[in-house]
Amino acid sequence: MLLGLDVGGTHTDVVIIDKTGIVATDKVKTNHNDLLETVNRGIENAVKNVNRDDIERVNLSTTLSTNAIVEGKTENVAVLVSAGPGVDPANYRLGEYYYSITGSIDHRGTEILPLNTKETDSALKAAKKAGCKVYAAITKFSTRNPAQENRLCEKIGSAADFITPGHMLSGRLSFPRRVATAYYNSAVWRQFNAFAESVEKSINGFGIKANLNILKADGGTMPLAVSKGLPVESILSGPAASVMGIIALCQVTRDSVLLDIGGTTTDIAIFASGAPIIEPDGISLNSAATLVRALRTKSIGIGGDSVLRVRDGGVVSVGPDRLGPSLADGGAAVALTDAFNFMKIDSHGDVNASAAGIAGLAKNNGMKPNDLAKKAIDCAVGAICDAVRRLVDEINMKPVYTIHELLEGKKVAPEQVYVMGGPAKAFSKRLADALRLPVNVPQNYAVANAIGAALARTTMYIELLADTEKGRMIIPDIGVSRDIPAGYSLEEAEADAKKYLLGHMKKTDVADRHIHAEILDSASFNMVQGYDTTGRNIRVRCQVKPGVLHEYNDVLRNLC
Amino acid sequence: MLKAKNRLGIIFFPAYDWAISPTHPERQERLLYTQDQLKEEGVFDIDGIGEYKPEVATVQDVERVHFCFPDVESVCTESHLISAGGAITAAKLVMEKKEDRAFALVRPPGHHAMKVVHGARGFCNINIEAVMVEYIREHYGQKRIAIVDTDCHHGDGSQDIYWNDPNTLYISIHQDGRTLYPGSGFVDEMGGPNAIGKTVNIPLPPQTSDEGFLYVLEKVILPILDDFKPDLIINSAGQDNHYTDPITNMRFSARGYARLNELLRPDIAVLEGGYSIQGALPYVNLGIVLAMAGVDYSHVREPDYNSDAMKQNPVITQYIKKVGQDVLDRYRNSRNFVMRGMPGNYMVRKKPIFYDTDGIRENQVESVMICNECAGILKIESLSSVNPLCLCIEVPLGACDRCRDEGYRILKEGKQKNIYAYIQLINRRDREYLRF
Ligand SMILES: [Zn+2]
Ligand SMILES: [Zn+2]
């Protein structure tokens, strides 16, 4: 049995699932001042009639880290960077305790200039004086050679309660993203850990002995033990939960579009052959780009509460803002839901208030109410369709780097649309007409987020780099670095990538015995000096992709 | 957050699955470390810098420029069409104002590919800048375009293609042809009779440093550009002037390249040569990208850069000043050039051409009709070790009636003669492209 908890902005959803289907669900209001209290309330209701011994896995999606960062309620971090030549690292400054230290490593991972000891010491002194207790250490090309980051960590030593070394976050290149990600990781570390530990205590208190896992933005989970060192991976997992919910509820196998239409926004996600598309570089938060792997979603300001406006000449606009709830929900401004009510496409809440509001707005602008409501709906549908097309185009225009991919690369062409959220039913026919695609509104979408959270399996992504001239192979984020012989091949590298990834997962996660690692791409380049081959530069990207826990594969299908 | 002063589109296409041969300088590995450097520096996350996928140039795009024998498909592969397509994508971004500037960071290069193509020369099959320039003219109207070629090798292909075009100013700075392939590009190569002065060659001595390159840029190239007043400036951004390049002898640095682009302010840059793939390209490309975007590049530096060792010998400085003055004088005097023949007469030159990459020999007789009203009808007879005698006729963009009619007369005559294995006509004026 699985317990899924989705702590969202307004509601917290809880769902319990066994191999026959949904056992229990519950929805409680999120108390932002005390998330633990919210979680406790949710679990308490849901587990009333359940044999708690049967719960083998608890998956939690939480907004704690996201909110802390967005609201700026994070701990001071001492950030130590060493960038060497290139773009001035002062551009990536985050927080007040940011220290740049001389030193340099090149793209092959060769140390060009050692870290300046004096500068390091004085930075540490300053950070200590400022009272910083959490640190982040980031050097350029540390994913190629983490030696300087490791040296910084040694130097910081016991001055820190926690240090984020940049190379442990991801094997991907991007010094600025590494700086931001390391910074946020340390900034939310203390709060996240306090929360995670209390949730763990709380579920134990309910007599649940299951492993606790934390949902990530890529639609997968990480075990609690992993999340304690990588709290930043818990940011923005909300949209991922709903995407995973749809995968669980519907048999998504083809290229598809998912629309999650809420009160304020519509979130769009795209599936390629049934698999959600991943953001190529990492998600952005607070306008800072990070290395946090995430499902690619796009949000536009169209929702049930989006406010209707009429400009000169009878041009009707919808959103992108909301001025409280719609008239139907007791609000003060005419909103999209009211237009649906007026047209009798929906009958949500106070239908009479909607009708009066639409009529009033139409009269003020010399329009027929019918025209106004129709134009508003057309405008909203048009905005969603445009956004869908743009997102699909962007995905198809993603740069590729081989002739084969450029000429033969698969293009995404959606064949199916899934719509969830409050106004989903009202929108479905219009969207089907406008996108000329079949539209499906799954049942149980109200708790799809929690279902997605409950069923998500552990995911992981690594990058392996082997340089046979240097005789080294490295997988930075799981701390693998070893000597390799000159004959080390692409096939060996692929096998190693899988072996180390699975080995690392087995160490921390025992629940899923069917983990399958796949090679995303791999390449081997001959390195040439003059006219002699001096070695091979091998790169392998390997992942356990997001998906539903294998044992539960068939549970919820066809509920759609 | 970093913000670009000029919005810059980068078309990055490293063709990781294509090489001339496994250890050839033009191999899969060439842009690998450049991509690593650009990614690690977060270049594509800078606000105002975007990355784009190249389109694939069509056979038609190539036939607008080149006479390919026996046909386009035989002399160029998909890799060349993508690299030319990358340049076209760059041009579109700028012409359609989606970006202020664009940089086609693509391979293989193109500036040694001439008007007539029988195979590959100097790692080039088709001239990607020329394909781009003529795409621009076809779709966005006749433009005055300046190509500034900063590759270490003389861009003899680009020179050949624009030899007779008064609307294209081709300026090349390169290592002196007496010391480096292809052995051309001397100051007295100044263009054909209808475009004299529109080809400018600035041969520089081996060991020229930043000081010399920037001197020539500021004192020679920029004044000439001011005079020509181009609608567009294109940089053929070869990077083999770098002090670590394995096949040349210059001392230009990454920061020097960046400064050059800052001063030149090209609308479009297209990668050409550059084969120090670890020691130069990652830093030179970073420098060019930042400079084109208007982002501070003053911290860009090669790991082994030593400014003292890169100081320019005063003897070289003096020599460069002399060359620069000579080039300027010639450019200014070209206006007073008097035709050595009456309009309607042909100027004829014979050219032996060697294709080093493919080992092909070609002999050409190029005739251009002197005309006061247009670039003049161009006729080339070409015989190579891989193709029998071929006839090429080009009616240029904006051709006058007489030159157009003359083109069709030559075509008719050529067909009657029955001595040509292939005849190709490019009529840019009426967009007629014929092959026989
Ligand atoms: Zn060159
Ligand atoms: Zn004419």
Side-chain angles (χ1 to χ4, degrees):
Chain A
M1 211 153 23
L2 308 171
L3 192 153
L5 260 164
D6 177 53
V7 184
T10 36
H11 292 109
T12 292
D13 294 315
V14 189
V15 62
I16 295 176
I17 294 168
D18 72 6
K19 288 181 181 166
T20 62
I22 296 174
V23 174
T25 65
D26 195 50
K27 205 184 227 353
V28 296
K29 272 222 157 17
T30 302
N31 172 3
H32 283 283
N33 297 320
D34 193 348
L35 289 180
L36 183 64
E37 183 272 335
T38 310
V39 168
N40 281 335
R41 225 170 348 120
I43 296 180
E44 189 172 16
N45 295 340
V47 298
K48 263 179 200 148
N49 304 311
V50 170
N51 182 2
R52 297 166 196 191
D53 285 341
D54 292 345
I55 299 175
E56 50 177 329
R57 191 177 164 101
V58 176
N59 286 352
L60 167 68
S61 165
T62 168
T63 52
L64 178 92
S65 303
T66 316
N67 289 345
I69 292 169
V70 172
E71 290 162 17
K73 292 177 184 158
T74 55
E75 186 174 356
N76 288 336
V77 184
V79 186
L80 275 62
V81 302
S82 171
V87 176
D88 185 350
N91 289 299
Y92 309 126
R93 183 188 187 94
L94 276 166
E96 293 188 30
Y97 311 99
Y98 187 88
Y99 309 96
S100 185
I101 294 157
T102 312
S104 160
I105 289 173
D106 78 357
H107 52 77
R108 287 271 308 273
T110 308
E111 184 170 64
I112 303 295
L113 196 67
L115 278 176
N116 184 309
T117 320
K118 252 194 185 157
E119 290 173 13
T120 311
D121 290 344
S122 77
L124 289 175
K125 226 168 129 187
K128 199 167 181 182
K129 201 172 156 216
C132 294
K133 298 301 282 176
V134 289
Y135 287 69
I138 310 96
T139 66
K140 202 174 277 179
F141 285 113
S142 64
T143 57
R144 295 291 157 81
N145 178 359
Q148 294 193 344
E149 268 177 14
N150 290 338
R151 217 164 306 144
L152 284 173
C153 292
E154 275 166 32
K155 281 257 192 179
I156 298 164
S158 59
D161 293 339
F162 180 70
I163 312 172
T164 305
H167 68 276
M168 298 300 281
L169 297 166
S170 167
R172 267 169 297 157
L173 295 173
S174 178
F175 176 72
R177 283 176 184 258
R178 204 177 307 126
V179 171
T181 316
Y183 169 84
Y184 287 132
N185 197 54
S186 290
V188 299
W189 172 81
R190 200 178 303 275
Q191 290 174 63
F192 179 87
N193 273 265
F195 175 68
E197 273 161 27
S198 52
V199 171
E200 194 178 28
K201 270 201 206 114
S202 151
I203 60 170
N204 290 339
F206 284 110
I208 302 167
K209 289 177 197 70
N211 293 315
L212 180 58
N213 297 277
I214 309 296
L215 202 74
K216 302 185 291 180
D218 72 353
T221 63
M222 57 183 163
L224 181 70
V226 173
S227 75
K228 286 180 176 172
L230 287 170
V232 72
E233 291 276 351
S234 70
I235 61 168
L236 300 169
S237 59
S242 58
V243 173
M244 298 316 290
I246 286 296
I247 293 184
L249 289 170
C250 311
Q251 215 152 1
V252 183
T253 53
R254 293 179 294 175
D255 291 0
S256 316
V257 178
L258 166 63
L259 300 171
D260 185 354
I261 308 177
T264 320
T265 60
T266 295
D267 292 335
I268 308 166
I270 308 288
F271 297 83
S273 306
I277 288 179
I278 305 262
E279 191 76 48
D281 298 311
I283 202 162
S284 292
L285 181 58
N286 251 13
S287 82
T290 75
L291 289 167
V292 174
R293 227 166 117 77
L295 298 185
R296 186 161 187 167
T297 55
K298 186 170 180 168
S299 198
I300 58 165
I302 300 281
D305 297 340
S306 293
V307 63
L308 305 195
R309 291 191 181 88
V310 184
R311 270 178 291 143
D312 297 343
V315 179
V316 179
S317 68
V318 180
D321 53 333
R322 105 189 242 275
L323 302 170
S326 62
L327 298 177
D329 280 322
V334 186
L336 185 59
T337 298
D338 301 314
F340 279 124
N341 275 347
F342 182 89
M343 297 298 286
K344 302 202 163 52
I345 296 167
D346 204 350
S347 52
H348 176 90
D350 187 347
V351 184
N352 295 329
S354 292
I358 292 283
L361 184 62
K363 194 175 166 218
N364 288 345
N365 291 283
M367 294 177 78
K368 286 184 187 147
N370 209 49
D371 282 353
L372 170 67
K374 198 174 163 303
K375 278 187 178 172
I377 292 167
D378 287 349
C379 169
V381 168
I384 292 173
C385 292
D386 282 352
V388 167
R389 289 196 193 101
R390 265 204 308 277
L391 182 57
V392 170
D393 282 350
E394 277 169 26
I395 288 165
N396 286 331
M397 288 311 288
K398 181 176 92 81
V400 295
Y401 305 113
T402 62
I403 293 170
H404 177 78
E405 282 174 282
L406 187 77
L407 300 177
E408 318 288 337
K410 185 187 172 291
K411 291 224 158 149
V412 175
E415 298 170 50
Q416 175 76 47
V417 182
Y418 299 97
V419 191
M420 55 194 271
K425 281 232 163 63
F427 263 108
S428 63
K429 196 182 166 316
R430 310 281 147 156
L431 285 168
D433 292 345
L435 289 166
R436 285 194 220 100
L437 290 172
V439 170
N440 212 324
V441 181
Q443 294 171 21
N444 295 315
Y445 67 71
V447 286
N449 296 8
I451 293 172
L455 287 165
R457 63 180 177 229
T458 308
T459 55
M460 201 168 164
Y461 169 90
I462 56 159
E463 288 190 12
L464 176 151
L465 181 96
D467 184 329
T468 67
E469 189 185 7
K470 284 186 183 290
R472 291 298 284 178
M473 179 275 270
I474 175 173
I475 310 174
D477 42 351
I478 56 175
V480 175
S481 172
R482 70 169 176 85
D483 291 333
I484 47 166
Y488 189 76
S489 68
L490 182 61
E491 291 68 34
E492 287 171 87
E494 288 180 353
D496 271 349
K498 287 185 176 176
K499 185 183 92 184
Y500 283 107
L501 183 149
L502 293 175
H504 186 81
M505 286 182 75
K506 293 232 166 80
K507 261 190 272 171
T508 51
D509 184 28
V510 284
D512 193 348
R513 280 170 294 277
H514 301 86
I515 311 169
H516 171 71
E518 65 174 350
I519 303 293
L520 277 168
D521 53 53
S522 64
S524 170
F525 296 87
N526 279 336
M527 295 189 285
V528 178
Q529 287 293 339
Y531 283 86
D532 298 316
T533 304
T534 53
R536 277 182 309 283
N537 196 301
I538 301 173
R539 284 124 193 251
V540 180
R541 302 194 306 133
C542 180
Q543 72 166 352
V544 170
K545 71 174 175 197
V548 170
L549 280 166
H550 288 94
E551 296 93 320
Y552 289 82
N553 249 339
D554 300 319
V555 180
L556 291 169
R557 283 201 172 151
N558 307 323
L559 276 177
C560 190
Chain B
M1 195 184 176
L2 268 175
K3 197 168 159 45
K5 280 202 201 87
N6 317 305
R7 282 173 305 136
L8 175 68
I10 301 174
I11 298 87
F12 182 78
F13 192 72
Y16 283 146
D17 51 354
W18 184 83
I20 290 180
S21 71
T23 58
H24 193 282
E26 199 48 76
R27 63 178 179 275
Q28 294 91 342
E29 188 196 8
R30 187 168 168 231
L31 291 175
L32 184 64
Y33 312 108
T34 291
Q35 186 178 34
D36 287 352
Q37 193 75 36
L38 294 181
K39 276 191 154 176
E40 179 69 353
E41 296 286 358
V43 156
F44 300 110
D45 285 331
I46 294 175
D47 186 15
I49 296 187
E51 189 185 357
Y52 296 85
K53 186 171 163 176
E55 56 191 275
V56 186
T58 62
V59 167
Q60 212 185 0
D61 292 328
V62 179
E63 285 192 329
R64 199 176 290 128
V65 175
H66 286 293
F67 297 106
C68 296
F69 297 111
D71 52 34
V72 173
E73 291 84 348
S74 315
V75 297
C76 81
T77 65
E78 282 147 345
S79 64
H80 303 102
L81 293 175
I82 295 170
S83 144
I88 289 175
T89 305
K92 281 184 173 173
L93 290 173
V94 172
M95 299 310 294
E96 286 163 19
K97 304 214 176 338
K98 286 196 184 116
E99 303 284 5
D100 297 326
R101 298 173 179 187
F103 184 12
L105 205 36
V106 296
R107 57 178 283 267
H111 76 148
H112 294 301
M114 296 187 164
K115 189 84 192 164
V116 179
V117 180
H118 292 274
R121 307 180 66 247
F123 321 161
C124 305
N125 293 53
I126 55 172
N127 194 305
I128 61 176
E129 282 94 343
V131 170
M132 171 184 83
V133 164
E134 297 317 316
Y135 183 96
I136 291 173
R137 288 180 168 146
E138 181 76 9
H139 293 87
Y140 307 101
Q142 173 70 299
K143 302 270 177 207
R144 280 170 81 73
I145 293 179
I147 302 173
V148 179
D149 188 330
T150 54
D151 190 281
C152 191
H153 301 92
H154 175 230
D156 53 351
S158 303
Q159 170 168 310
D160 183 67
I161 291 170
Y162 289 110
W163 186 253
N164 296 305
D165 182 356
N167 290 307
T168 306
L169 174 66
Y170 177 70
I171 304 177
S172 177
I173 22 174
H174 48 265
Q175 187 176 326
D176 194 307
R178 289 167 294 192
T179 62
L180 190 70
Y181 176 89
S184 53
F186 298 101
V187 290
D188 59 351
E189 296 166 37
M190 296 175 61
N194 300 325
I196 198 87
K198 300 300 184 284
T199 294
V200 176
N201 280 299
I202 312 169
L204 298 177
Q207 317 299 333
T208 298
S209 299
D210 288 10
E211 188 191 338
F213 282 98
L214 297 173
Y215 174 85
V216 163
L217 182 78
E218 289 183 66
K219 302 289 186 236
V220 184
I221 297 177
L222 294 182
I224 292 177
L225 288 172
D226 276 347
D227 180 73
F228 181 74
K229 294 188 178 53
D231 301 316
L232 278 174
I233 296 176
I234 291 153
N235 181 13
S236 280
Q239 306 178 357
D240 37 13
N241 283 302
H242 194 261
Y243 64 87
T244 60
D245 198 89
I247 58 178
T248 63
N249 315 91
M250 302 301 243
R251 289 184 163 181
F252 207 22
S253 72
R255 219 181 303 168
Y257 266 108
R259 175 75 178 145
L260 182 146
N261 274 278
E262 185 181 30
L263 293 170
L264 182 63
R265 307 195 303 131
D267 299 285
I268 303 163
V270 179
L271 176 67
E272 278 293 336
Y275 299 97
S276 172
I277 63 174
Q278 289 194 34
L281 266 61
Y283 310 103
V284 174
N285 281 312
L286 176 64
I288 293 178
V289 164
L290 296 180
M292 284 186 80
V295 176
D296 172 38
Y297 60 81
S298 60
H299 298 269
V300 174
R301 202 171 64 87
E302 301 84 341
D304 59 353
Y305 183 74
N306 177 343
S307 58
D308 289 339
M310 290 296 128
K311 269 229 155 56
Q312 192 166 282
N313 184 326
V315 179
I316 292 178
T317 306
Q318 277 314 309
Y319 178 83
I320 292 173
K321 284 187 175 168
K322 240 176 59 196
V323 172
Q325 195 54 53
D326 188 13
V327 171
L328 265 185
D329 290 345
R330 282 168 183 274
Y331 177 78
R332 291 191 178 126
N333 291 334
S334 66
R335 263 171 258 165
N336 310 323
F337 176 78
V338 181
M339 297 279 183
R340 273 171 294 162
M342 292 295 288
N345 287 355
Y346 276 97
M347 283 276 280
V348 179
R349 56 174 186 157
K350 292 191 175 146
K351 295 185 290 184
I353 295 161
F354 180 58
Y355 293 66
D356 59 307
T357 305
D358 279 353
I360 299 168
R361 284 186 189 283
E362 181 196 359
N363 275 295
Q364 275 186 21
V365 179
E366 180 196 282
S367 315
V368 61
M369 192 157 88
I370 295 168
C371 183
N372 290 333
E373 269 137 71
C374 75
I377 189 79
L378 174 73
K379 171 189 169 188
I380 300 169
E381 290 174 280
S382 163
L383 175 67
S384 78
S385 51
V386 288
N387 287 305
L389 190 63
C390 308
L391 175 65
C392 320
I393 307 155
E394 182 174 56
V395 179
L397 207 57
C400 65
D401 290 346
R402 184 190 57 181
C403 287
R404 195 254 322 256
D405 296 346
E406 173 69 2
Y408 283 87
R409 189 194 65 73
I410 300 170
L411 175 66
K412 202 172 150 197
E413 180 189 86
K415 278 172 156 173
Q416 280 166 355
K417 272 190 184 163
N418 218 14
I419 54 169
Y420 302 109
Y422 305 101
I423 300 176
Q424 193 187 335
L425 173 105
I426 298 177
N427 177 355
R428 293 295 302 285
R429 181 180 139 157
D430 310 302
R431 296 188 171 129
E432 187 169 32
Y433 303 89
L434 304 173
R435 276 184 167 280
F436 301 96

